[in-house]
Amino acid sequence: MTLLENAWAMPLAGVVIGSVIGFAARRYHFCTMSALERHWYAGDSAGLRAWVLAAAVALTLTQVMAALGWIDISRSFYLTEPLPIAGTIIGGVMFGVGMALVGTCGFGAIIRLGGGNMRALVVLTGIALAALSAQRGLTGHMRVALLDPLSLDLDRAGGQSAGALLSRLAGFDVTFPVAMLIAAALFFWIFKDAAFRRNRERLISGTVIGAGIAVGWVVTSSFSGRLFQPVQVEAGSFVMPLGDAMLQIITVTGALPDYGVGVAAGVLVGATLSAWRSNDMRWEACDDARELSRHLLGAFLMGTGGVFALGCTIGQGVSAVSVMAISTPIAMLSIAFGARMGLGYLLEGSPFGFMRRHGHTGQPAE
């Protein structure tokens, strides 16, 4: 039996890759929610540029490997599922609000748990349960009845990626040139800031996480078609894999953990090693019932919204970017809007306080 025919090799590869990602994220303080908050309230874009760097690196490496024929990303669910317009917008806003209430996303909660944060364990449990319900349970019935019928099938227009749509318009394949143009634009914005170019920690974290996501496509694409069991071609997301991990923990499903579960477990391992190495481990818990309820509500919103929107800040914000999924800008704008509403409620007393303060032009009100 070769390595690619061993079903355990795929989740174990996820653990290895996730460990590297988790170590870098914990060591260099990679957090999308923190990046957005500092960008909006402190004028510090370093964290945001690190996140965009991860997306740009993942996009570049993924598209180069796809162009060389090393990987097949055409079976990614970002490119095969109909575009859930309503689900992406509503789910994205829900996820963003939940992220603000908790202070981080599912990926960030795993990083925090690695340092002994028990609030993060509550959040991860809530996300997992909510994701399972939204995929297969009570809220899943609502999704199927109300949101899925509003999805768009773009196959006739070329497909679910920007490259496929533009290739149909051009009459020939322009996927790789389009990808490189997008990557070039992202890198230009990232590195035009001189202070960021000198920020070694942000450069390392963004590059490592982006490369880790790209390697995920290599692993799952390589195993696809080699195993007797179905393989989901994926790179990294932290909503539905948390639900799958919970099922693996509490039930005997008859199926081995997939790559996504392995990555989630690996991120926890890497974050724990980083916290231990930096002597940064300490037990933390909710201060009172109010904080606990806020974290539970945020977890429910992230788990439900992440399934509705087909991903999280890593799933849609990095993995889907790497395949140029057309859902990405819709999802990320919705997540950002939801996060802004959540922060407005927590810090300004109103979810729409920032709109009154800045007006519709984005400038401070008179």
Side-chain angles (χ1 to χ4, degrees):
M1 178 183 292
T2 66
L3 182 63
L4 293 179
E5 294 173 340
N6 188 326
W8 276 106
M10 186 170 63
L12 290 176
V15 171
V16 173
I17 296 168
S19 297
V20 176
I21 291 174
F23 188 94
R26 176 84 190 188
R27 176 67 179 82
Y28 299 117
H29 312 291
F30 184 95
C31 176
T32 305
M33 186 65 240
S34 175
L36 290 173
E37 184 175 2
R38 291 191 61 80
H39 177 68
W40 286 327
Y41 286 93
D44 179 4
S45 66
L48 185 60
R49 291 176 194 273
W51 171 72
V52 177
L53 176 61
V57 169
L59 170 64
T60 302
L61 294 178
T62 299
Q63 294 299 323
V64 167
M65 290 188 292
L68 293 173
W70 295 355
I71 59 174
D72 178 13
I73 56 176
S74 63
R75 291 178 55 195
S76 164
F77 67 87
Y78 294 115
L79 304 182
T80 56
E81 296 290 332
L83 176 60
I85 290 289
T88 301
I89 296 173
I90 295 172
V93 172
M94 290 175 65
F95 188 94
V97 173
M99 186 169 66
L101 293 177
V102 169
T104 190
C105 59
F107 176 73
I110 300 176
I111 299 301
R112 291 183 177 184
L113 179 60
N117 190 318
M118 292 296 100
R119 292 191 298 266
L121 180 60
V122 171
V123 170
L124 291 170
T125 303
I127 291 175
L129 291 173
L132 288 172
S133 179
Q135 182 70 24
R136 311 169 189 178
L138 184 61
T139 49
H141 292 297
M142 181 188 72
R143 171 181 59 81
V144 171
L146 301 179
L147 300 180
D148 286 359
L150 301 177
S151 300
L152 293 179
D153 190 343
L154 299 177
D155 284 345
R156 292 184 178 180
Q160 299 293 126
S161 76
L165 292 174
L166 293 174
S167 294
R168 176 63 63 89
L169 289 175
F172 58 95
D173 189 5
V174 297
T175 300
F176 186 70
V178 168
M180 293 303 100
L181 284 174
I182 294 173
L186 293 177
F187 282 124
F188 174 78
W189 180 78
I190 293 164
F191 291 111
K192 73 175 183 179
D193 184 86
F196 183 80
R197 295 198 298 269
R198 297 189 297 269
N199 194 327
R200 177 176 171 271
E201 293 188 354
R202 300 296 188 183
L203 291 171
I204 293 175
S205 65
T207 301
V208 169
I209 291 170
I213 292 298
V215 173
W217 294 121
V218 177
V219 173
T220 55
S221 180
S222 299
F223 278 97
S224 177
R226 300 294 187 97
L227 297 179
F228 291 109
Q229 65 189 49
V231 174
Q232 178 170 283
V233 179
E234 58 183 324
S237 185
F238 297 91
V239 178
M240 200 58 228
L242 298 179
D244 293 336
M246 174 167 285
L247 285 180
Q248 291 286 339
I249 292 170
I250 65 176
T251 66
V252 178
T253 63
L256 295 178
D258 62 9
Y259 177 79
V261 172
V263 170
V267 169
L268 178 59
V269 171
T272 303
L273 289 174
S274 177
W276 172 75
R277 187 174 182 273
S278 303
N279 196 26
D280 188 32
M281 301 188 75
R282 59 185 180 275
W283 296 113
E284 298 180 53
C286 294
D287 294 330
D288 51 34
R290 182 178 179 181
E291 184 179 22
L292 176 61
S293 63
R294 177 164 55 84
H295 279 69
L296 287 172
L297 175 59
F300 169 78
L301 291 173
M302 282 195 286
T304 305
V307 172
F308 287 0
L310 297 181
C312 57
T313 54
I314 298 296
Q316 282 284 7
V318 181
S319 296
V321 170
S322 69
V323 297
M324 294 192 292
I326 202 69
S327 61
T328 293
I330 303 171
M332 293 313 299
L333 287 174
S334 299
I335 289 174
F337 182 75
R340 197 70 172 88
M341 288 176 58
L343 286 175
Y345 169 74
L346 291 174
L347 302 179
E348 304 174 44
S350 168
F352 300 104
F354 69 93
M355 295 179 66
R356 292 197 300 269
R357 180 162 54 87
H358 293 289
H360 295 290
T361 63
Q363 299 298 322
E366 294 290 332

